[in-house]
Amino acid sequence: MKRRTATILTTVLAVAAASTAAFFALPASAETAAFAVQSSWNNGYQAQVTVNNNTSSQISTWKVELTFPAGTTVTQSWNATQAGSGSSYTFTPAGWNATIAAGASTSFGFIVNGTGRPTNCLVNGQACTGTTNPSPSPSGSVSTSTPPTTGTPVQVNGQLKVCGTKLCNEYGQAVQLKGMSTHGIQWFPNCYTDASLDVLAKEWSADLLRISMYVQEQGYETDPAGFTNRVNNLVEEATERGMYALIDFHILTPGDPAFNLERAKTFFAQVSARHANKKNVIYEIANEPNGVSWAQIKNYADQVIPVIRANDPDGVVIVGTRGWSSLGVSEGSNSSEIVNNPVSASNVMYAFHYYAASHKDSYRAEVERAAASLPLFVTEFGTVTYTGDGAVDVASSNAWFDLLDRLKIGYANWTYSDASEGSAAFKPGTCSAGSFSGTGSLTESGALLRNRIRA
């Protein structure tokens, strides 16, 4: 749930007490902090600290200091500025969450390498009231509620988050989203009707709709308000059907995202404000950067992400990578430059794109290597050549599917359209005719994707 600014401390303590948790001492009528493990795995876990203002006055800043046992380290955090190393860490506001009204709260999260829980906690220099959760259960998942087993993708998984190198659901379980990308929404409006989206959600059982909004090429720059409205409407359509909506700021030419920096800030400020209370929105801030360094892409991301975070602190953000989102491979580099210089934010994933007939073993090897260190999402791929056309390469496509399934990396296929190209899911004329159900209108690529997503 977004904007959890009214967390009730007693509820947190009650849940923790039921788990035989330990407590820190608390001075009366002071700021407090509660620690809770949200999910865990073999040698690490994800935790959240909720800072509560129990005083009768607004506070303008806060500082939480945590001490961990030797060998336990904090590897990344979000919604806070992290300092320190070894066994002691300090967390201060990310900027937008410095002020806490009387009786309100804010929270931040972090990933821990190791299994040790905090041995000491201070908030604004005083002892915290909080909890340290007991060791995780053998299943490796700690949650205060049971995830549903039936329903739409969003009903089952809720608010997504990045945990370690995986995309996880609200209950800390790694998930793999599978879905389709629109073509340019300026060119194929008839492909994204109630009928077609019903088919995608119900017959295809897709988890995800990627909404591809070109910035140039007769796109956003020609009518910012109009295209923002189109994107918002498609997000609402995905929401009605219980699918996740991936908002794609589709830059391609020019490949330098800085060219569209101010447009990006304006666009993402508006859409994140509109959808901040939804659990199903993911932000892809730069489709395919090319001809620029990773440092330039990172600089762009470091300026755009805070705009989103100001409205939506929980939404997952996906950052495009060098070489048309190839992790740099298509421009002679690799993922090491990202691993050594990651984006200055948390709850972030990195995009990888491929086209199965063009990008084969060397690209798959790099994804395998990168996935050990980076959270990846294939926000666009095709079954054909990098041009978006040509014959379907079934063998390479299946090799990619098998790899992504094994690594639990989500994907969106290019494209859910009837474009006159090999990558289109529908035969030409399908969208004008308005008949999307069944398999008769599908291309070879569409039939392959439908079967794979349904499986």
Side-chain angles (χ1 to χ4, degrees):
M1 178 174 289
K2 308 292 185 181
R3 288 288 190 189
R4 292 180 282 267
T5 56
T7 303
I8 300 173
L9 179 60
T10 54
T11 300
V12 176
L13 299 186
V15 170
S19 302
T20 64
F23 292 85
F24 296 102
L26 166 68
S29 301
E31 299 83 38
T32 68
F35 167 91
V37 173
Q38 296 189 306
S39 61
S40 57
W41 44 93
N42 289 340
N43 191 38
Y45 61 90
Q46 177 178 323
Q48 177 172 288
V49 170
T50 301
V51 181
N52 301 271
N53 180 10
N54 294 332
T55 71
S56 59
S57 303
Q58 174 179 288
I59 60 174
S60 59
T61 191
W62 49 268
K63 179 172 72 172
V64 174
E65 299 169 80
L66 297 177
T67 303
F68 292 84
T72 297
T73 59
V74 177
T75 59
Q76 60 176 295
S77 60
W78 52 94
N79 298 343
T81 301
Q82 174 186 325
S85 60
S87 61
S88 298
Y89 293 86
T90 299
F91 301 90
T92 52
W96 54 265
N97 58 350
T99 300
I100 309 177
S105 64
T106 190
S107 62
F108 63 90
F110 50 89
I111 299 295
V112 174
N113 183 22
T115 59
R117 305 309 196 241
T119 57
N120 189 54
C121 173
L122 298 176
V123 55
N124 289 349
Q126 301 182 87
C128 302
T129 291
T131 66
T132 55
N133 286 21
S135 298
S137 62
S139 65
S141 177
V142 176
S143 176
T144 59
S145 58
T146 302
T149 56
T150 60
T152 68
V154 178
Q155 287 172 335
V156 170
N157 292 297
Q159 175 64 55
L160 302 177
K161 57 196 172 188
V162 178
C163 55
T165 60
K166 304 299 182 185
L167 180 64
C168 292
N169 64 15
E170 197 168 287
Y171 309 94
Q173 301 167 335
V175 295
Q176 180 193 26
L177 300 185
K178 301 179 181 181
M180 299 294 291
S181 174
T182 72
H183 208 301
I185 56 178
Q186 72 272 42
W187 296 316
F188 296 92
N190 291 339
C191 292
Y192 313 114
T193 62
D194 283 346
S196 72
L197 296 177
D198 282 345
V199 167
L200 182 62
K202 297 173 183 177
E203 290 190 21
W204 290 46
S205 300
D207 306 310
L208 176 75
L209 174 68
R210 182 192 191 225
I211 303 163
S212 181
M213 187 199 71
Y214 279 75
V215 184
Q216 277 71 53
E217 300 182 61
Q218 305 164 38
Y220 176 82
E221 67 177 2
T222 67
D223 181 10
F227 275 89
T228 301
N229 187 55
R230 293 192 205 186
V231 169
N232 286 335
N233 288 340
L234 285 172
V235 171
E236 299 295 350
E237 295 290 346
T239 303
E240 288 178 15
R241 293 162 176 81
M243 291 189 292
Y244 288 91
L246 175 56
I247 299 176
D248 163 33
F249 195 69
H250 202 85
I251 62 168
L252 181 62
T253 305
D256 183 357
F259 181 82
N260 287 301
L261 177 60
E262 294 308 315
R263 294 185 183 97
K265 288 180 176 180
T266 299
F267 173 74
F268 282 109
Q270 293 173 343
V271 296
S272 62
R274 167 73 175 265
H275 305 295
N277 291 322
K278 293 183 174 68
K279 292 186 175 185
N280 66 318
V281 179
I282 304 169
Y283 306 92
E284 182 181 4
I285 62 173
N287 168 60
E288 287 189 348
N290 57 88
V292 292
S293 68
W294 166 246
Q296 290 171 279
I297 301 168
K298 178 182 181 297
N299 181 60
Y300 165 87
D302 288 342
Q303 295 182 71
V304 174
I305 293 173
V307 173
I308 297 172
R309 291 284 183 256
N311 294 318
D312 187 351
D314 298 330
V316 173
V317 175
I318 303 177
V319 180
T321 59
R322 186 175 164 195
W324 297 274
S325 285
S326 68
L327 295 171
V329 179
S330 291
E331 290 181 344
S333 187
N334 58 52
S335 60
S336 295
E337 59 187 11
I338 306 171
V339 174
N340 295 330
N341 187 25
V343 167
S344 304
S346 55
N347 217 23
V348 165
M349 306 188 81
Y350 298 90
F352 182 79
H353 292 182
Y354 71 86
Y355 280 79
S358 299
H359 307 127
K360 300 190 177 184
D361 289 346
S362 62
Y363 287 81
R364 285 189 281 268
E366 182 58 26
V367 167
E368 178 101 46
R369 187 173 78 94
S373 304
L374 298 172
L376 302 179
F377 201 111
V378 175
T379 56
E380 180 182 317
F381 76 96
T383 60
V384 294
T385 70
Y386 72 90
T387 65
D389 206 357
V392 172
D393 190 325
V394 176
S396 182
S397 292
N398 284 331
W400 274 112
F401 288 136
D402 292 345
L403 176 66
L404 299 180
D405 289 352
R406 176 165 57 82
L407 297 176
K408 225 171 181 62
I409 295 174
Y411 58 73
N413 174 253
W414 187 269
T415 62
Y416 198 65
S417 77
D418 64 353
S420 297
E421 54 190 30
S423 61
F426 295 106
K427 297 174 182 177
T430 298
C431 296
S432 296
S435 180
F436 304 93
S437 185
T439 59
S441 61
L442 298 179
T443 63
E444 182 181 5
S445 183
L448 178 62
L449 263 297
R450 181 181 185 271
N451 288 338
R452 197 79 192 201
I453 290 172
R454 283 163 59 92

